[in-house]
Amino acid sequence: MTRSHAAEPAAEVEVDLAVLGSPLFRAARATIASLGVLYALTTLFPMGGQRPALLDTWFYLIVLIATALLALARPLLVRRNRVAWLFVGGGVASWAAGDVYWQASFTDVDANAIPVPSPADVFYVGLYPLAYIGFILLARASVRRLPASVWLDGVVTSLAAGAMFSAFTLNDLLDADESKPLAAIVTNLAYPIGDLILMVVAVAALAMVRWRNDPVWWLAALGAAAFTAADTAYLFGLSDNTYTDGSWPDGTWMIGLTLMALAGSVHRRRSIDEVRGFAALLVPILFSLCALGVLIVGTFVHLHPLTIVMASGCLLAAGIRTALTFEQTRELTRTRREAATDEISGLGNRRVLDSALPSMLASLPRGAVLPMTIVSVDHLHEMNRILGYTAGDMILNAVGTRLQQALPPEAVAVRLGGAEIAILRTVSAGTADSIARDTEVLLRSLAAPVPAGPVPVQLELSAGVALAPMHATASAELIRCAADALHEAKASRSEVEIYDPGHRGDVGSHLLPDLLRAVEQEQFFVYYQPKVDLSTRRPVALEALLRWRHPVHGWIEPEVLQRLAMQVGLTRQLTRFLLRSALESCANWRRQGYELGVAADICAADVLDSRLPYDVAKMVNKLVVPPAALTLEIAEEVMLIDARRTATALGQFRHFGVRLALDHYGRSAPSLARLRGMPVDELKLDPAFVAPMANSPQDAVVVRSTVELARSLGITVVAEGVDSREMADAATLSGCAGGQGRVPGEPLSVEALPAWLSSLHPAADRRRERV
């Protein structure tokens, strides 16, 4: 099969188009086409009965041969669709060869003395099968797959065209041949039947390519139509002895040949769109009406049975096409409904939300509000794990069914994914408090037990609500606000939370788009906070802190930055940037003689990053820094992760000689028993844990007991938040080995660090002082 244009290499297509668009080829094409049109025009004017013989002999033959060569030039010079155009060009050349033979043999012979059939007829008739094959191959090359509706359109239009053609010509042509020999009858029948099939194939091919506004196809189809008209006129002229050389049928043949030759030589770079929608159906409808008209005429006028058969076949194909269209429309409606429906909950899906939210925002009446409520089925993950995913699906389906029953018809409810459902409803009048109360009532109606296991499952639901236009006027921003409110509801374990733009934890969420750009714009800076030995008050290390200098909001502190980075997937990238910067600085200090260690925060996700220990080892080796000079400070939430996984992950760092510190210890309710299984070298007490001991003997006892436990496990204890002399003394008395805070030193920028280092004595000088 001929390869489609889309499947060919772009370079090959460019070469083909360059050939067709070359100045020489374009000049030759224009010249030959002009000569063909000129000859056709001469056949329309009688010239006073004195038509020059040269026009119908030498001039005609030159134009005829040139046109055949133009038709053959396409398959000889261009690879694309070569086989298809070889058949079309061969058909044109075959007809031209037959006419050359006829001109050479029968120009001066009486028409009644010309044998029928003759060798000229063989070449003339040869046009038809060659053109049929060429048209079909071109259509197949243009479309890889033909839907049933497309080829049915081809059947409808082609049968209608055949019925109309045969209604006007077939009876007269067949009746005129009844007295002639059988060979002559068969030969003369070959022309109208060949023209009929040529017309059918041309129209069917146009239907197969969806009536594209493509000059190639329309030139080929019009060329076929010109041949049909010329052959019909010629046969009628022979039957009543009115045909003469140089009359308009000869000009029409030349036009047909020229159009078919031009079809293969058109230079076209721009892709052609298909006719779609009602316009694509309009043509088959019009052809069906024409076929109906032929049948109506057939009730009053005798028509050939073949005409009746084709007209009836057209209407039958049109009926099948109509039934197919109806079924396709019903299937499309069902598919669209399924594409917009979540299979598990029975609610809409994200496509529905993306479509409804902008329109509801745009049409919001004055004074009304549009609450965006995101409801979450809490602990669904645990339910899936314990009861199986089928139970989880039953829970979501039950919630979806209850929600459809509880909401008004105009409300929109969709499942966002996982355990979250979004609800949109317009409220004409109401406050944030009243909407919160309504949401609480809705949650209680949804939270009834669901029979999804051995016993009914009691549901716990949380909801976050954002209001438009109060909180946001854009779709994406409104969803983000509702998601932040839901996050706050889960964190505070409250049932419903209304979005609060003034909440500090939310400020950072607005910065997420800026954070993605900040990486490329190099807006991150590393600061270093001293960590001192409380017994000597000398610095022993510097903790590297990654800060973000936002162009509008100023400095974003490390904890907020770390939380934001986790939301947009930048944790891995920023952690490595921090560690690389910290180790480079540490290497620089040590080259200057300052034996200071460096510390850096990593989160729980970093701990479970299997590649991080190896990346850290590569950095340490490359910068020639002792592994023990680096301390990785791990957030306390690692104690909530599976103990075996945590121990394995931390053991990787210990294997490479890196020190580990448990940061923010005591912020929540620490487990001393789990601390015993943690392979850490250092314990950093959170400021909230150590601050009360300065004024509370009981808190001092708790801190002291923690320090003693850590010592017994070989763990060094560092107190954070040492912001006063009293706190430094209390931390020292409690047994803490080190301290961080305002008293030991505020975080220092890279620019301020050299001056701070110069105030210290290098390690070599300190050794000389001891001596």
Side-chain angles (χ1 to χ4, degrees):
M1 190 181 80
T2 304
R3 291 185 300 168
S4 67
H5 177 79
E8 295 179 311
E12 183 178 303
V13 173
E14 286 296 323
V15 171
D16 293 345
L17 293 177
V19 172
L20 295 178
S22 63
L24 180 61
F25 188 86
R26 293 169 63 185
R29 180 180 60 200
T31 301
I32 295 172
S34 300
L35 292 176
V37 173
L38 178 62
Y39 176 79
L41 290 175
T42 64
T43 63
L44 299 178
F45 300 99
M47 297 184 181
Q50 300 295 324
R51 181 176 176 82
L54 182 66
L55 287 176
D56 299 319
T57 55
W58 292 107
F59 180 72
Y60 176 78
L61 288 175
I62 290 172
V63 177
L64 185 65
I65 294 172
T67 304
L69 291 176
L70 178 63
L72 290 173
R74 165 63 187 255
L76 293 176
L77 299 176
V78 177
R79 296 180 182 179
R80 185 161 49 101
N81 296 331
R82 171 170 285 170
V83 175
W85 285 113
L86 185 61
F87 276 104
V88 175
V92 173
S94 176
W95 195 95
D99 211 36
V100 170
Y101 178 86
W102 195 93
Q103 293 284 344
S105 303
F106 307 122
T107 301
D108 299 326
V109 178
D110 183 78
N112 294 324
I114 298 175
V116 179
S118 70
D121 291 311
V122 176
F123 287 106
Y124 283 142
V125 175
L127 164 71
Y128 299 117
L130 294 174
Y132 304 156
I133 297 173
F135 284 176
I136 293 172
L137 290 178
L138 283 174
R140 290 291 303 274
S142 299
V143 286
R144 294 184 177 183
R145 186 180 65 86
L146 286 179
S149 59
V150 174
W151 63 260
L152 278 174
D153 286 344
V155 172
V156 170
T157 53
S158 59
L159 288 178
M164 290 185 292
F165 172 77
S166 63
F168 288 105
T169 62
L170 205 57
N171 271 339
D172 294 337
L173 293 176
L174 292 178
D175 292 343
D177 287 340
E178 287 178 353
S179 61
K180 295 182 179 181
L182 179 62
I185 294 176
V186 172
T187 300
N188 288 337
L189 276 177
Y191 289 102
I193 294 175
D195 290 329
L196 174 62
I197 299 175
L198 186 63
M199 175 69 70
V200 168
V201 171
V203 174
L206 278 172
M208 287 168 65
V209 297
R210 298 292 186 101
W211 307 96
R212 288 176 177 165
N213 185 21
D214 188 340
V216 172
W217 277 107
W218 285 102
L219 286 172
L222 291 174
F227 263 100
T228 302
D231 281 337
T232 303
Y234 173 73
L235 291 175
F236 274 116
L238 287 180
S239 66
D240 56 15
N241 295 317
T242 60
Y243 170 77
T244 60
D245 286 340
S247 59
W248 71 266
D250 292 334
T252 307
W253 273 317
M254 183 60 70
I255 289 294
L257 288 172
T258 303
L259 290 175
M260 294 180 71
L262 285 176
S265 62
V266 171
H267 172 64
R268 172 174 56 81
R269 287 180 176 270
R270 183 177 62 86
S271 60
I272 303 299
D273 295 330
E274 297 176 357
V275 177
R276 297 181 180 274
F278 179 73
L281 295 175
L282 182 60
V283 176
I285 291 173
L286 293 177
F287 274 91
S288 300
L289 293 176
C290 292
L292 180 61
V294 169
L295 289 178
I296 293 174
V297 171
T299 60
F300 302 99
V301 178
H302 172 69
L303 296 177
H304 194 276
L306 183 59
T307 302
I308 302 301
V309 169
M310 286 193 292
S312 302
C314 172
L315 294 182
L316 177 62
I320 297 175
R321 175 69 168 91
T322 302
L324 180 62
T325 302
F326 175 78
E327 182 61 28
Q328 287 177 337
T329 303
R330 187 171 65 177
E331 180 66 18
L332 180 61
T333 302
R334 185 184 65 82
T335 303
R336 287 181 174 177
R337 184 171 60 250
E338 291 180 352
T341 303
D342 177 65
E343 183 179 359
I344 296 176
S345 66
L347 303 173
N349 57 21
R350 185 61 184 267
R351 295 187 184 91
V352 177
L353 181 66
D354 293 340
S355 174
L357 184 51
S359 60
M360 294 180 74
L361 282 170
S363 60
L364 192 63
R366 184 181 297 275
V369 294
L370 178 65
M372 157 66 78
T373 305
I374 300 181
V375 177
S376 173
V377 181
D378 297 337
H379 315 299
L380 184 64
H381 176 73
E382 289 79 0
M383 296 179 194
N384 284 331
R385 181 172 57 85
I386 297 171
L387 301 176
Y389 284 95
T390 302
D393 293 346
M394 294 174 63
I395 292 171
L396 289 173
N397 182 265
V399 172
T401 302
R402 294 169 183 175
L403 198 55
Q404 289 175 325
Q405 296 172 350
L407 292 176
E410 65 274 8
V412 176
V414 304
R415 182 186 175 207
L416 294 178
E420 294 182 354
I421 295 171
I423 303 169
L424 284 174
R425 56 191 178 95
T426 302
V427 178
S428 58
T431 63
D433 291 339
S434 65
I435 292 173
R437 288 193 297 271
D438 292 343
T439 305
E440 291 173 357
V441 173
L442 176 63
L443 294 187
R444 283 193 288 272
S445 67
L446 301 177
V450 175
V455 295
V457 178
Q458 183 67 46
L459 302 184
E460 292 184 14
L461 305 176
S462 302
V465 185
L467 308 177
M470 183 187 308
H471 297 144
T473 56
S475 301
E477 187 69 9
L478 188 63
I479 294 173
R480 187 198 62 78
C481 293
D484 287 341
L486 176 62
H487 178 76
E488 181 63 24
K490 289 186 174 183
S492 61
R493 299 191 180 276
S494 58
E495 196 173 24
V496 177
E497 286 289 338
I498 302 294
Y499 173 73
D500 181 6
H503 192 275
R504 173 58 192 165
D506 173 68
V507 173
S509 299
H510 292 83
L511 308 179
L512 292 178
D514 296 337
L515 180 59
L516 295 172
R517 292 187 290 268
V519 177
E520 298 178 357
Q521 298 173 2
E522 298 181 352
Q523 296 175 359
F524 299 108
F525 298 87
V526 179
Y527 277 62
Y528 295 91
Q529 185 172 24
K531 184 190 301 183
V532 301
D533 184 333
L534 288 178
S535 61
T536 63
R537 303 299 169 95
R538 286 184 178 275
V540 293
L542 291 167
E543 180 181 357
L545 305 171
L546 185 63
R547 288 177 169 177
W548 173 24
R549 186 165 65 188
H550 191 279
V552 176
H553 298 283
W555 289 105
I556 307 299
E557 294 303 315
E559 285 195 22
V560 176
L561 176 58
Q562 190 178 74
R563 177 175 61 83
L564 295 176
M566 292 179 64
Q567 296 182 50
V568 293
L570 285 178
T571 299
R572 180 188 181 94
Q573 186 174 350
L574 293 186
T575 296
R576 281 159 176 77
F577 173 79
L578 174 63
L579 291 173
R580 190 179 304 109
S581 300
L583 286 170
E584 288 173 353
S585 297
C586 182
N588 186 43
W589 307 331
R590 301 180 80 86
R591 281 194 299 268
Q592 299 176 38
Y594 302 102
E595 294 183 359
L596 296 172
V598 69
D601 281 343
I602 62 172
C603 64
D606 292 323
V607 172
L608 300 179
D609 182 353
S610 61
R611 291 299 312 166
L612 185 58
Y614 300 95
D615 291 343
V616 170
K618 290 178 183 178
M619 295 180 199
V620 168
N621 293 333
K622 181 180 179 180
L623 296 169
V624 196
V625 174
L630 173 63
T631 301
L632 297 179
E633 299 187 356
I634 305 159
E636 188 191 19
E637 57 259 27
V638 298
M639 298 181 68
L640 304 178
I641 305 174
D642 183 277
R644 184 181 58 82
R645 293 181 62 196
T646 304
T648 302
L650 295 180
Q652 293 285 339
F653 293 106
R654 292 289 294 271
H655 174 73
F656 291 117
V658 176
R659 298 181 75 252
L660 300 174
L662 189 64
D663 201 7
H664 302 303
Y665 186 85
R667 175 181 290 181
S668 57
S671 170
L672 298 179
R674 296 202 65 177
L675 177 62
R676 182 179 58 185
M678 296 288 291
V680 297
D681 304 284
E682 186 176 294
L683 188 67
K684 297 188 70 175
L685 304 182
D686 193 78
F689 186 62
V690 298
M693 71 176 180
N695 301 312
S696 171
Q698 292 84 356
D699 289 317
V701 171
V702 173
V703 173
R704 194 177 303 115
S705 64
T706 302
V707 173
E708 291 174 357
L709 174 62
R711 280 181 176 176
S712 67
L713 297 174
I715 300 174
T716 302
V717 179
V718 176
E720 293 187 285
V722 181
D723 297 335
S724 64
R725 293 291 180 183
E726 293 77 14
M727 180 58 65
D729 293 338
T732 303
L733 291 174
S734 67
C736 294
Q740 265 185 285
R742 193 178 301 122
V743 171
E746 296 282 9
L748 301 165
S749 65
V750 174
E751 294 77 14
L753 196 57
W756 181 84
L757 287 172
S758 64
S759 66
L760 303 177
H761 291 291
D765 293 344
R766 291 202 301 270
R767 286 195 295 268
R768 283 196 297 269
E769 289 175 1
R770 289 196 203 85
V771 174

